[in-house]
Amino acid sequence: MSLVGTYHLKYYIHASHAIRWENGEGEEHAHSWEIAVEFRSTNENMIVFDKIESSLDDLFKAYSGKFLNTVEPFTTIDPTLENITKFFFTLVEKQILPMHAQLNKIELGESPMRFYYVTRNDMSGE
């Protein structure tokens, strides 16, 4: 049996957004976004996860208190739950890779009942 360990961290940001529809932009509304990241070590060593925790905390703080429609890339990309999650996956992955960590999954919730998550597809060879 082969065991694989992962780390799981949670963050919260408070930000608003408005969905762009065919007939214009919807009403701005706020969420307390819950972000959960799951990652593993890319080597045999234990990750000093407090460095990753602090780094990601700083990364997400840049979005807290903002109207996401006015923040890149959401000035041109619709700030839907799905698009925000995919964007954060890319951001987090770039942030933690130099710390010998690989992102497996990111989960973003805009309410206690509504979450979307993105995982690494190991079958794709990427």
Side-chain angles (χ1 to χ4, degrees):
M1 173 172 54
S2 176
L3 300 177
V4 176
T6 60
Y7 298 89
H8 185 92
L9 299 173
K10 270 191 187 176
Y11 300 87
Y12 295 90
I13 61 172
H14 307 287
S16 61
H17 71 144
I19 303 301
R20 293 182 190 96
W21 302 102
E22 200 172 289
N23 299 332
E25 192 169 272
E27 188 173 323
E28 178 181 353
H29 58 283
H31 294 284
S32 291
W33 304 86
E34 180 178 309
I35 305 162
V37 298
E38 182 182 295
F39 58 94
R40 66 179 181 212
S41 176
T42 58
N43 60 30
E44 296 299 316
N45 299 326
M46 183 183 95
I47 291 180
V48 182
F49 59 90
D50 62 335
K51 287 177 75 175
I52 291 175
E53 187 175 21
S54 174
S55 175
L56 294 181
D57 190 45
D58 290 342
L59 182 137
F60 291 127
K61 277 183 185 175
Y63 297 90
S64 199
K66 302 282 172 66
F67 178 43
L68 296 179
N69 295 55
T70 64
V71 178
E72 289 295 334
F74 304 112
T75 56
T76 55
I77 296 172
D78 203 13
T80 62
L81 176 63
E82 298 81 4
N83 288 341
I84 296 167
T85 308
K86 291 172 188 173
F87 174 69
F88 280 168
F89 187 100
T90 303
L91 271 186
V92 169
E93 186 169 60
K94 287 178 185 174
Q95 190 83 5
I96 68 174
L97 197 57
M99 294 179 252
H100 306 287
Q102 180 182 49
L103 185 60
N104 294 337
K105 176 181 175 180
I106 188 165
E107 192 173 313
L108 183 68
E110 64 180 12
S111 76
M113 303 284 291
R114 188 177 304 143
F115 282 79
Y116 184 77
Y117 67 90
V118 174
T119 61
R120 173 173 305 289
N121 181 358
D122 289 329
M123 300 302 285
S124 69
E126 296 176 18

